[in-house]
Amino acid sequence: MGQLLNTASLAVNAALQTRTAELESLEISARVAREALDLSEFVTRRKRGHTHIVTQATQRLEDVFIGLGFQIAEGPEVETDFYNFEALNMPKSHPARSEFDTMFLEYGEPNSVLLRTHTSPVQIRVMQTWPPPIYAIMPGRVFRRDTPDATHMPVFHQIEGLVIDRGITFAHLAGTIEAFTKAFFGSDFTSRLRPSFFPFTEPSAEFDIRRADGEWIELGGCGMVHPNVLISGGIDPEEFSGFAFGFGIDRMAKERHNVEDIREMYTNDLRFLRQF
Ligand code: FA5
């Protein structure tokens, strides 16, 4: 009898375990179904914003010059007459001042405080703070009373470059600009320097690039830093020499992406901005 009962009890226990397991798994499936989260919305591609075409160009320029061994510096957008003009070899009566259509602020002495018309004042600030050798780039926003058209904006961006060391020559400037052109625009592009005039560099040149279609486009000015400018920055022109350049970043972005009109970059039209 005992043996029979044992066998029967084992059979009942086995059946009970099987059924319990079945019921448990059914309950788990039901709970999973009940509590399931629909994550499919995260699987579809979401639209994300990105940096503006001019910010992208600035960051790319910074990358290229950091790769060439340059450091980044910044200066204020509100400047004094001294840094924007005087220290750059443009004394009060200098005719070149009128080429920069300046916006002055009603602050302090009349015409003494202004919105910087170029990034060149940062050259002086860097020379006053960093002992040479200096290999620096200075990107930033600049302001001029220019009427907007396909290549001009009243608020635009420049990137200044400054190299001060012993034995720097015009050949270093030309080589740096050519290396930069190829790195930024690609190997289809070449650069040329045309004689020009800036009070703060001597000799001075205008920097053009040639596009793949053969057309030449002016991108900025450059030259050997004028001895008076080195003196303003507290550097001995007998011991050190250097070169400087200033390029329009908005124009570079325009050329790199074949944008027809510079104003398009600032209308905040998403259909335009999303392309880049
Ligand atoms: C200058 O501003 C000098 N500071 C450049 C320089 C620096 C020369 C260091 C020598 C040594 P310019 O006024 O030519 O030069 O302006 C330089 C570039 O800024 C122009 O070639 C152009 O690419 C850009 N630019 C000038 N005005 C405008 C504008 N209104 N809108 C957009 N880009 C502009």
Side-chain angles (χ1 to χ4, degrees), residues 118 120 144 146 152-153 156 158 160 218-221 246 251:
H118 51 176
S120 300
R144 288 184 198 176
D146 277 347
H152 292 82
M153 285 296 287
F156 60 102
Q158 287 187 338
E160 195 80 13
E218 178 204 312
L219 285 186
R251 288 213 193 152

Side-chain angles (χ1 to χ4, degrees), residues 88 90 99-100 117-121 123 142 144-149 151-161 197-198 200-201 204-207 218-225 243-252 262:
L88 291 166
M90 285 181 277
E99 283 171 27
F100 297 98
T117 57
H118 51 176
T119 42
S120 300
Q123 283 187 35
V142 300
R144 288 184 198 176
R145 282 191 295 122
D146 277 347
T147 310
D149 65 22
T151 52
H152 292 82
M153 285 296 287
V155 179
F156 60 102
H157 301 78
Q158 287 187 338
I159 186 160
E160 195 80 13
F197 175 78
F198 294 99
F200 31 95
T201 46
S204 303
E206 212 85 55
F207 157 60
E218 178 204 312
L219 285 186
C222 59
M224 301 305 290
V225 181
F243 66 77
F245 54 79
F247 306 152
I249 301 181
D250 316 71
R251 288 213 193 152
M252 290 203 184
I262 214 164

Side-chain angles (χ1 to χ4, degrees), residues 13 17 38-39 45 79 89 104 120 139 151 156 160 178 193 203 221-222 229 254-255:
N13 267 335
Q17 263 177 23
D38 178 8
L39 299 176
R45 247 178 114 193
E79 265 298 5
N89 205 26
F104 290 97
S120 300
T151 52
F156 60 102
E160 195 80 13
E178 182 67 11
L193 295 174
C222 59
V229 175
K254 176 178 175 299
E255 287 315 316

